[in-house]
Amino acid sequence: MKKIFVILILLGTVVTTNAQFKSAMLQASGLTCAMCTKAINKSLEKLSFIQSINPDIKNSAFNIQFKQGASVNIDQLKKAVQDAGFSVARLKLTGNFINVAVKNDEHVQINGNTFHFLNVSNQTLDGKREITIVDKNFVNTKEFNKFSEATQMTCVKTGHAAACCSKDGIKDNARVYHVTI
Amino acid sequence: MNTFAAKYLIKIRFSFLVTGLVSCFLLFSISAPAQLAPGQKAPDIVLPDENGRIKKLSDLNGKVVLVDFWASWCGPCRRANPSLVLLYNKYKKSGFEIYSVSIDDEKKAWKNAIEQDKLSWSNVIETGGWEGRVATNWKVDIVPTSYLLDRSGKVIVVDPFGKQLERAVAKQLNVKE
């Protein structure tokens, strides 16, 4: 049993270099103009994988550049925004993908993280592509409800793997990011 | 206890006192002073305008001045600009001035915004965003942040807007609204 576990972990690490997240477009919402407060900038700047943060007036969002080769922690991005007293209204990640096969309502390992693709056509991601996180607290409630209906799997409610996901070799209770293209 | 030991003890006590004082001092200097309050003299600002010419806030002493911190990407700032233009045109002859400090990182975006919003007063920029020296000195944590200064350069109101701003300007200039 232990051996199988070790092999699974090894397999997990082998397929991790199939994509690199370069940047993100982050919309934050709250009572005041999110870009107009220093709090979000300060909070995001503390994250070690962030290179720079620039306001983008057209999308009333932040353009975030990640450090090259750094592993991006998506939940920490959300936490930083929440710590500043705001919530995430949209988070779009741009990455360089290398032949990542994506199927609707299935799990894919990207850089050590598990992604569950919803409302997508089956395709292979290659080159510069964008994915949008549709987990709870990454989109508004209405949108979250729409996406959570797109799958029968329970992980969409919690963002964590349940029994349903184990067939894809995902550890119990591992973080599963639900995304769309 | 002999005298040597007593002296030594005093020395130790003294060094404790010094460390205590130093740490108190450090504590106070670390706890940053709060935002400028009414009654306080505004620190001078020396920054370049759209043409790269240096404009000093202190050059406007003798006038009633609104110091306005903003950025081209700040929606509420942009929406407030038309009413600032009206206010400026109405009171500039009586001695009212606006000194707008942008915290934009991109000079081009800033210049475009000045043109679009038709801002004809003193516009200066400090690239460096939130971490710029002036923005840090003035404790600007949110834009818009504004200060109305009297003719001597003292703060009268922090973040005045709309009717409250016009009333304060008219009162300082001693003219009718």
Side-chain angles (χ1 to χ4, degrees):
Chain A
M1 189 61 200
K2 243 185 189 170
K3 261 186 190 165
I4 296 169
F5 194 61
V6 169
I7 288 166
L8 276 178
I9 290 177
L10 281 175
L11 275 174
T13 41
V14 166
V15 285
T16 50
T17 49
N18 49 4
Q20 175 66 50
F21 290 122
K22 294 268 179 204
S23 62
M25 190 277 269
L26 188 152
Q27 269 177 0
S29 62
L31 287 175
T32 57
C33 160
M35 290 194 285
C36 302
T37 152
K38 192 180 177 180
I40 292 190
N41 273 62
K42 262 179 130 176
S43 193
L44 287 170
E45 272 166 4
K46 283 186 198 145
L47 301 176
S48 57
F49 53 85
I50 287 185
Q51 177 83 48
S52 65
I53 308 150
N54 290 303
D56 166 9
I57 192 164
K58 264 186 211 140
N59 300 308
S60 63
F62 296 94
N63 277 329
I64 299 171
Q65 295 291 323
F66 300 127
K67 283 184 187 155
Q68 212 173 354
S71 68
V72 174
N73 188 318
I74 299 165
D75 277 333
Q76 273 182 17
L77 277 172
K78 180 193 72 182
K79 192 178 175 291
V81 172
Q82 288 176 338
D83 285 350
F86 288 80
S87 57
V88 175
R90 183 161 300 273
L91 180 62
K92 232 184 220 182
L93 295 167
T94 304
N96 274 336
F97 291 84
I98 305 160
N99 284 322
V100 179
V102 165
K103 280 184 185 153
N104 189 39
D105 203 13
E106 279 193 16
H107 297 97
V108 179
Q109 295 279 339
I110 300 174
N111 278 15
N113 284 314
T114 306
F115 291 86
H116 183 165
F117 283 81
L118 298 172
N119 281 5
V120 296
S121 56
N122 296 348
Q123 58 190 289
T124 301
L125 301 179
D126 201 24
K128 193 179 162 190
R129 295 298 296 266
E130 279 183 349
I131 58 171
T132 303
I133 313 285
V134 294
D135 266 319
K136 199 174 183 175
N137 297 327
F138 281 91
V139 286
N140 63 42
T141 319
K142 205 178 145 193
E143 254 185 295
F144 171 70
N145 288 339
K146 187 187 112 190
F147 281 104
S148 62
E149 277 163 20
T151 180
Q152 294 296 313
M153 290 191 239
T154 51
C155 54
V156 75
K157 297 275 185 230
T158 59
H160 288 276
C164 61
C165 318
S166 57
K167 70 172 167 65
D168 293 336
I170 298 160
K171 261 202 284 178
D172 231 18
N173 212 32
R175 179 72 168 104
V176 179
Y177 291 106
H178 295 82
V179 293
T180 194
I181 296 168
Chain B
M1 199 191 289
N2 61 34
T3 41
F4 178 75
K7 257 188 196 167
Y8 196 65
L9 206 71
I10 288 167
K11 255 192 186 165
I12 291 172
R13 278 203 185 143
F14 183 71
S15 67
F16 265 117
L17 189 72
V18 169
T19 4
L21 278 175
V22 167
S23 50
C24 273
F25 176 74
L26 276 176
L27 263 177
F28 274 107
S29 53
I30 287 166
S31 65
Q35 219 187 5
L36 276 184
Q40 279 182 295
K41 179 111 177 95
D44 201 6
I45 303 175
V46 184
L47 286 173
D49 70 1
E50 309 99 288
N51 303 311
R53 279 192 300 253
I54 294 296
K55 283 217 168 139
K56 282 185 182 178
L57 174 61
S58 55
D59 285 347
L60 301 174
N61 274 358
K63 296 191 174 204
V64 173
V65 184
L66 182 75
V67 181
D68 186 31
F69 287 91
W70 73 300
S72 70
W73 41 255
C74 161
C77 308
R78 301 294 299 274
R79 283 195 290 277
N81 276 342
S83 53
L84 275 187
V85 170
L86 288 178
L87 190 80
Y88 181 65
N89 290 338
K90 191 169 168 189
Y91 293 100
K92 69 175 170 192
K93 280 196 191 111
S94 318
F96 175 56
E97 262 305 322
I98 300 178
Y99 187 89
S100 285
V101 185
S102 159
I103 61 164
D104 270 282
D105 261 326
E106 272 183 55
K107 279 192 179 167
K108 209 177 152 197
W110 167 61
K111 284 181 185 173
N112 284 344
I114 293 173
E115 219 166 277
Q116 270 176 26
D117 297 356
K118 300 188 176 63
L119 313 180
S120 56
W121 50 76
S122 303
N123 278 288
V124 295
I125 189 163
E126 182 180 51
T127 49
W130 296 111
E131 304 309 327
R133 214 158 46 88
V134 172
T136 320
N137 273 350
W138 282 64
K139 301 266 167 269
V140 175
D141 284 341
I142 191 158
V143 281
T145 290
S146 62
Y147 300 87
L148 188 65
L149 312 183
D150 69 7
R151 292 184 191 267
S152 71
K154 256 194 231 155
V155 177
I156 314 164
V157 205
V158 181
D159 287 335
F161 64 94
K163 267 276 150 228
Q164 185 205 7
L165 171 61
E166 180 161 3
R167 213 171 297 141
V169 169
K171 193 185 159 197
Q172 284 303 313
L173 294 170
N174 227 347
V175 294
K176 272 191 179 169
E177 272 181 49

